[in-house]
Amino acid sequence: MKSSEEKAVSGMSAGRSAMRMGPAELVQAAAMARRFYLEGKSKIQIAEEFGVSRFKVARVLETALERDLVRIEIRVPAELDAERSDALRARYGLRHAVVVESPAEADESPDPENLGEVAADLLGELVTEGDVLGLAWGRSTIHMAAALDRLPPCTVVQLTGVYDAGTAERGSVEAVRRAAQVSGGDAHPIYAPMLLPDAATAAALRHQTGIARAFEYFDKVTVACVSIGSWEAGISTVHDMITEEERSHYATLGVAAEMSAHLFDAEGRRVGRDLGERCITVKADQLRRIPEVVAIAGGQRKAAAIDAVLRSGLVTSLVTDTAAADSLLMAGAAPRPALNRADPDE
């Protein structure tokens, strides 16, 4: 039930909305709007200051909007697409989704460097003091690390081996060092290839002191940053590292995406699990237990792969571009929300 004052104000609001505001009303409306929108005062505080009811304050603020005395703008940097970001977050149940404007050459060059720059800013928000930050191999994570300029004190651990041990200085190892340098925390790199010739060699490497020390941190990681690859040459690390015969074998299993040396079909189910025995990488179950897993991937060529990985439940947040986002938002049936963190194989 409305009070008599509420009813009176409500009736006046409808009747006076078409009336011309006098100078005293204009000045009062501007003052109240300044208190409310710029100074953060409540309607009750404003009512007390001006000696009126809070209902009148509400009516005056409403009138100020109607008469264009107050203009409310929601502005984000030009390179960020807030509408697509929110739509993507809702579709996949993500904790965070940030969509960046695609450069003109996005179709030819997946994961443009500006994704890494935005991801670096996002990590600056997500990482808190005492966290353990995990970085997996990927061009986008390397770009992200290079763009870092702020991180709270945290431990940084490498989650996968490198694409080529000979390029460690320009890849994952350097990314881990860079992040640790920015944060002032300890670094735990992995000086080993991501993929080994056989399971026995991989097992032996996992027991080496430095690598074993890094592996001990995998269950302590609180924020992880990963890349996503499509199953095609030049866009998937694993695809480029195995033989043609092996590629054909995994293709028959329906592989559509790769993340941290784990393979996924279009529904987000893991395939080719035997490959993991030859890899130096964090386990999928360990990724699933990490509270915040941020994937960085963009470009229309990667859209299907991004969709597959998001369906896996391993990722909680995504940094992508408009080219990939448009494809993802036009996809078919709504996938499993990422925040369920459920394994589609179960």
Side-chain angles (χ1 to χ4, degrees):
M1 294 290 292
K2 290 186 177 180
S3 67
S4 58
E5 185 175 10
E6 284 182 282
K7 291 178 180 178
V9 170
S10 177
M12 289 169 56
S13 178
R16 296 189 56 171
S17 60
M19 293 175 60
R20 181 176 178 180
M21 295 180 72
E25 289 179 308
L26 287 169
V27 170
Q28 184 184 67
M32 288 184 176
R34 178 174 293 277
R35 302 290 194 281
F36 186 74
Y37 292 107
L38 299 183
E39 299 176 11
K41 290 188 176 181
S42 70
K43 292 174 184 176
I44 293 176
Q45 289 174 314
I46 297 170
E48 291 175 351
E49 178 182 348
F50 286 86
V52 298
S53 72
R54 62 186 176 89
F55 304 112
K56 181 175 181 179
V57 173
R59 179 176 61 80
V60 170
L61 292 174
E62 180 181 344
T63 302
L65 285 171
E66 292 174 352
R67 298 303 178 89
D68 215 21
L69 291 177
V70 175
R71 296 182 182 181
I72 298 176
E73 291 185 286
I74 300 173
R75 302 179 65 183
V76 296
E79 69 272 14
L80 300 183
D81 191 308
E83 186 175 351
R84 285 183 175 92
S85 297
D86 188 57
L88 206 57
R89 178 201 57 77
R91 173 175 171 78
Y92 288 94
L94 295 163
R95 186 171 292 122
H96 304 284
V98 182
V99 178
V100 181
E101 189 67 32
S102 299
E105 68 279 8
D107 288 348
E108 291 74 28
S109 303
D111 301 339
E113 291 191 22
N114 63 336
L115 292 186
E117 295 167 3
V118 172
D121 286 341
L122 179 60
L123 282 189
E125 291 183 55
L126 299 180
V127 176
T128 59
E129 184 172 352
D131 274 342
V132 177
L133 172 62
L135 301 181
W137 195 95
R139 296 177 186 87
S140 55
T141 52
I142 292 170
H143 291 157
M144 180 277 301
L148 282 171
D149 59 9
R150 63 186 176 101
L151 271 182
C154 64
T155 299
V156 186
V157 60
Q158 193 170 322
L159 295 179
T160 63
V162 297
Y163 174 64
D164 181 345
T167 64
E169 291 302 314
R170 302 188 300 276
S172 301
V173 171
E174 181 55 33
V176 169
R177 287 175 175 167
R178 168 65 182 166
Q181 180 184 35
V182 172
S183 74
D186 294 332
H188 295 277
I190 294 178
Y191 296 96
M194 181 188 294
L195 181 65
L196 281 303
D198 53 68
T201 304
L205 277 177
R206 292 190 197 102
H207 287 91
Q208 287 190 359
T209 303
I211 297 173
R213 187 177 298 117
F215 269 56
E216 290 173 359
Y217 277 91
F218 286 0
D219 287 327
K220 303 174 185 177
V221 173
T222 49
V223 180
C225 191
V226 300
S227 296
I228 296 173
S230 300
W231 193 246
E232 57 180 299
I235 310 185
S236 165
T237 301
V238 173
H239 182 281
D240 293 346
M241 295 175 74
I242 60 179
T243 66
E244 186 60 43
E245 183 180 356
E246 289 172 321
R247 292 187 197 114
S248 298
H249 166 66
Y250 292 122
T252 63
L253 301 180
V255 59
E258 174 253 319
M259 180 181 71
S260 303
H262 300 293
L263 308 183
F264 304 88
D265 68 11
E267 297 301 320
R269 296 182 292 260
R270 288 181 59 211
V271 296
R273 299 191 184 208
D274 59 304
L275 185 70
E277 298 176 2
R278 297 167 49 195
C279 292
I280 303 297
T281 186
V282 62
K283 295 178 180 178
D285 289 343
Q286 290 173 312
L287 278 172
R288 202 178 302 280
R289 291 194 295 268
I290 296 173
E292 185 74 79
V293 179
V294 180
I296 314 171
Q300 189 172 5
R301 290 172 65 186
K302 278 195 176 183
I306 296 169
D307 177 71
V309 171
L310 292 182
R311 290 171 182 265
S312 74
L314 294 176
V315 170
T316 62
S317 297
L318 174 69
V319 177
T320 190
D321 62 4
T322 53
D326 286 343
S327 293
L328 291 169
L329 292 171
M330 289 190 298
R336 182 190 302 273
L339 285 184
N340 286 351
R341 307 306 295 277
D343 189 340
D345 289 336
E346 295 180 352

